[in-house]
Amino acid sequence: METSWSLHVLSEILSAFSTEDPDNLRNVLNRVAESVDAEVAAIICNRSINWCIGLSEEDQQLLLEELNNHPSDINIRSGTLRTCWAPMGPRNQLFVGRLGERFDLEERSLLRAMARSIELSMKMLTAVSSERSARKNALFQATHDALTGLPNRRMVLDRLQATIDHLSADDSLLTAVLFIDIDRFKWINDAHGHSAGDQLLIHVSHILKQAVRHDDLVGRLSGDEFIVITRTSHQDDASQLASRIIEAIRQPLKVAGSELSHTVSIGISFAHVGDSPSTLLENADMAMYQAKALGRGRHSSFHSTMRLQAQQRLSLEEALGNAVQNGENKTFLQPIFRLTDETLSGFEALLRWQHPQLGLLMPDTFLEQAEDSGLIQEIDMCVFASACAAIAGWQQIPGLSDLRLSSNLSARSLSDPRVKGRIKEILEATGINPTSVYLEITETTLVEDNESTVATINALRDLDLRLAIDDFGTGYSSLLYLKRFPVGVLKIDRSFVSGLGSNSEDEVIATTIISLAKALELEVVAEGVENKHQLDRMRELGCDYGQGYWFGRPITIEATDVAIIEPLRQSPLSLNPLNP
């Protein structure tokens, strides 16, 4: 075999290598076999056949069994193979076999040269592949979320930009952006830990990928915010997709032995020519907040008026943060009277915001922002502390030692394990009698029954505090919870009190609540008593206490001291400031 011919063959072998396609090593083996008229060629790495031509799986196994012996002949089903073994480094080798004449010295020399060349080329291929894999991994990490593996904000924005660029070219389909936010996600983290929160995020990402089509994009923007970009023929299709996602995510998830109940709120926006990706996301985000305002676990589509509402909401939230620092949150007290003789029993502490520009604001105008921002916990404690201090002082007046205080505790505060310590500090600092303190929580909060809330309620029991269930009858009533926790008072929602005498259903509900309370040895407070008819009817039904405009509107602590407490200081034998 002439040397020039051998070099030509070697050159052909090396040219068959491709760094673009690792499987092209099979083409290399074909060239090797053709160069010496062989039927079989294989590359063996670490006692495994990585690439092979001309051998069945059964014959390949036979070849591996003979690996240590390097026999000159191997019998396979089609005949006897004349073999050549050429080393490719310490653990790898090139194997060539043909049915016919043995390999001469020139051919063996050529095959050894080929083996060394293949070894060098494979090393280069490995290095190139590693570099490309590293670049690919770096690009993936830069464009995907580490926890869920979903495209991140950067990739979402790029995809949105590409979609917007093609809007004018194809106007047969609408591009919808669904902004998905897990409701009260911080509560889940606080109550169950960040590990549970991560499991929920992964769970939601799986549901989203299952809910969309193959060419839709699912991404995670940050925290508990996800995005879906979909192309659709009608706007209703996007709404139907949002409904399916909400329903799928609503199903309870078991985490660390506990069932996690959770919902998502979804905002929908549609792309138009000239929009920017950030505008689309902002629009969908505003629509999502509208869905939350409607009660969470819902979806809403963007319209232009939402932008003004969002600006107002942001301004309000910023001002609320300043209000907490500047002491603009004020404690108002509304009296509670015993119905049998209309004597003063105690007060409910209520929140008001003395806004420097807008004046006195009621809680329903800012409570949602307080809850979403986490400021509600600090506000709860401020109201509680000032009310405790006032009531504790009034309890020193002869005849008022049993004066009660009811103070609202938000679900977010109740799920905070630190709340017991803060309440204990306030009780000790003010000297109020703990047995006269009732913490008002909503019925829904009680039934949610997450681990942190249960632990807090049991801790409050240790402080001799009791619960008052606010707005009873409007949530998910359960006798189990009324007996399980230290509940002392049920408060009949004002909506049932206002219907007395005109709505038979309201009368039935009020009667049932009072009967239930009596059976469970609980006291009942009727909210929203505004006229004598409601007072008389509540008294006839056996209701214990009442509060409402008939007895007095909520006023500041200072005004309460002047209007209600001062007459009792002067005439301690009369506890009825309405009828001294």
Side-chain angles (χ1 to χ4, degrees):
M1 188 176 294
E2 297 181 1
T3 303
S4 60
W5 184 88
S6 300
L7 292 176
H8 173 73
V9 172
L10 189 58
S11 174
E12 287 290 314
I13 296 298
L14 294 177
S15 68
F17 271 95
S18 169
T19 57
E20 301 296 330
D21 181 11
D23 279 344
N24 221 20
L25 276 169
R26 198 172 304 280
N27 295 334
V28 172
L29 288 179
N30 277 319
R31 298 285 183 91
V32 169
E34 289 172 1
S35 69
V36 291
D37 296 325
E39 293 81 15
V40 175
I43 294 177
I44 303 171
C45 301
N46 295 325
R47 305 188 63 81
S48 296
I49 297 177
N50 286 16
W51 294 272
C52 181
I53 61 169
L55 285 181
S56 66
E57 290 187 6
E58 182 179 346
D59 289 338
Q60 289 183 38
Q61 185 60 38
L62 179 62
L63 176 62
L64 290 176
E65 292 174 359
E66 298 288 350
L67 196 58
N68 291 335
N69 302 323
H70 288 188
S72 57
D73 296 327
I74 295 180
N75 294 319
I76 60 175
R77 286 185 300 174
S78 55
T80 300
L81 277 180
R82 310 302 182 180
T83 67
C84 178
W85 305 80
M88 293 171 50
R91 304 188 65 181
N92 305 336
Q93 53 194 310
L94 170 67
F95 172 82
V96 183
R98 70 183 176 196
L99 300 169
E101 297 180 4
R102 298 185 184 279
F103 296 102
D104 59 28
L105 291 177
E106 186 72 22
E107 289 173 324
R108 290 179 182 276
S109 176
L110 175 62
L111 290 174
R112 284 194 295 271
M114 289 179 182
R116 288 192 294 273
S117 298
I118 292 173
E119 177 188 359
L120 293 174
S121 298
M122 286 179 63
K123 287 181 178 178
M124 180 183 69
L125 181 62
T126 300
V128 171
S129 298
S130 297
E131 182 183 353
R132 283 187 178 147
S133 178
R135 286 204 304 266
K136 184 178 179 181
N137 288 338
L139 178 61
F140 185 88
Q141 292 174 12
T143 57
H144 287 75
D145 171 54
L147 178 66
T148 63
L150 295 177
N152 61 14
R153 176 180 287 271
R154 170 183 167 182
M155 188 171 180
V156 167
L157 292 174
D158 288 346
R159 175 71 173 270
L160 276 176
Q161 186 62 64
T163 301
I164 293 169
D165 291 342
H166 289 86
L167 282 179
S168 56
D170 180 12
D171 57 1
S172 61
L173 293 175
L174 299 170
T175 296
V177 176
L178 278 65
F179 194 109
I180 300 141
D181 182 88
I182 301 176
D183 296 324
R184 297 186 174 99
F185 180 69
K186 187 177 186 304
W187 294 12
I188 294 172
N189 269 340
D190 292 343
H192 299 278
H194 288 278
S195 176
D198 287 348
Q199 290 184 55
L200 177 57
L201 292 172
I202 294 170
H203 173 70
V204 169
S205 72
H206 289 163
I207 288 178
L208 293 177
K209 286 188 287 188
Q210 292 168 2
V212 303
R213 297 168 306 192
H214 177 70
D215 54 349
D216 293 336
L217 178 74
V218 177
R220 182 186 176 201
L221 296 181
S222 63
D224 61 332
E225 297 174 345
F226 294 84
I227 205 81
V228 168
I229 304 173
T230 182
R231 301 273 280 166
T232 178
S233 302
H234 305 284
Q235 290 191 2
D236 287 347
D237 295 339
S239 297
Q240 291 171 11
L241 173 59
S243 295
R244 291 197 302 272
I245 290 172
I246 289 170
E247 189 56 36
I249 293 177
R250 192 188 302 274
Q251 305 308 313
L253 171 67
K254 200 151 195 175
V255 174
S258 298
E259 266 198 353
L260 225 60
S261 296
H262 49 281
T263 59
V264 295
S265 297
I266 300 179
I268 306 171
S269 65
F270 294 92
H272 300 92
V273 176
D275 283 342
S276 68
S278 59
T279 297
L280 272 176
L281 291 183
E282 288 172 5
N283 292 347
D285 186 28
M286 283 184 271
M288 181 272 295
Y289 271 103
Q290 177 67 23
K292 284 185 180 292
L294 293 173
R296 296 184 173 88
R298 303 172 183 235
H299 63 82
S300 180
S301 295
F302 173 79
H303 55 81
S304 56
T305 58
M306 289 181 180
R307 186 166 292 277
L308 177 60
Q309 294 171 353
Q311 293 169 349
Q312 293 172 341
R313 183 173 58 247
L314 179 61
S315 175
L316 188 65
E317 187 170 314
E318 291 175 350
L320 185 59
N322 294 329
V324 173
Q325 296 178 1
N326 298 336
E328 295 169 11
N329 298 123
K330 302 299 181 181
T331 301
F332 277 47
L333 299 178
Q334 184 173 34
I336 302 173
F337 282 80
R338 187 164 57 238
L339 297 187
T340 53
D341 54 8
E342 295 187 49
T343 57
L344 180 67
S345 170
F347 296 91
E348 179 182 356
L350 298 169
L351 169 66
R352 299 292 185 267
W353 179 8
Q354 189 64 54
H355 194 285
Q357 285 82 40
L358 303 177
L360 194 66
L361 299 182
M362 301 295 285
D364 57 1
T365 63
F366 61 88
L367 210 55
E368 182 182 351
Q369 283 81 5
E371 290 178 346
D372 289 341
S373 64
L375 292 170
I376 189 63
Q377 293 160 283
E378 188 62 35
I379 293 172
D380 279 348
M381 292 301 101
C382 288
V383 170
F384 182 65
S386 57
C388 280
I391 299 295
W394 296 336
Q395 286 177 342
Q396 305 307 310
I397 299 172
L400 295 183
S401 59
D402 294 329
L403 201 62
R404 296 181 178 185
L405 168 65
S406 286
S407 187
N408 291 278
L409 192 65
S410 66
R412 191 156 188 172
S413 293
L414 197 61
S415 66
D416 187 345
R418 298 169 297 179
V419 73
K420 176 194 173 181
R422 298 196 65 180
I423 289 177
K424 183 179 180 181
E425 289 176 2
I426 292 170
L427 295 176
E428 292 175 348
T430 59
I432 191 172
N433 181 0
T435 60
S436 65
V437 176
Y438 290 78
L439 294 175
E440 291 195 15
I441 63 174
T442 63
E443 190 175 353
T444 304
T445 300
L446 193 65
V447 175
E448 281 181 353
D449 191 20
N450 64 54
E451 292 180 7
S452 182
T453 298
V454 172
T456 301
I457 290 175
N458 289 331
L460 295 176
R461 189 202 307 266
D462 296 338
L463 297 178
D464 292 331
L465 302 178
R466 302 181 77 186
L467 300 179
I469 309 304
D470 197 13
D471 302 335
F472 191 79
T474 61
Y476 309 92
S477 306
S478 173
L479 298 180
L480 172 64
Y481 294 102
L482 296 181
K483 293 302 293 182
R484 180 180 177 188
F485 298 121
V487 176
V489 170
L490 301 184
K491 302 192 75 172
I492 303 176
D493 186 66
R494 67 182 62 249
S495 62
F496 304 128
V497 176
S498 64
L500 293 177
S502 59
N503 188 311
S504 59
E505 291 183 357
D506 287 347
E507 181 125 356
V508 169
I509 293 173
T511 303
T512 302
I513 293 174
I514 293 171
S515 299
L516 172 64
K518 298 301 180 184
L520 296 175
E521 299 181 346
L522 304 177
E523 296 177 328
V524 186
V525 176
E527 296 182 301
V529 178
E530 297 184 353
N531 55 56
K532 192 172 188 306
H533 169 72
Q534 293 169 353
L535 169 65
D536 292 341
R537 187 60 185 140
M538 280 286 110
R539 185 186 289 138
E540 290 171 6
L541 293 175
C543 183
D544 301 298
Y545 302 94
Q547 68 179 101
Y549 289 175
W550 175 257
F551 300 106
R553 294 173 179 267
I555 55 178
T556 64
I557 292 175
E558 295 76 14
T560 300
D561 188 65
V562 172
I564 299 178
I565 302 301
E566 186 58 33
L568 298 178
R569 285 195 184 95
Q570 298 175 7
S571 181
L573 296 179
S574 173
L575 298 180
N576 187 347
L578 298 181
N579 300 298

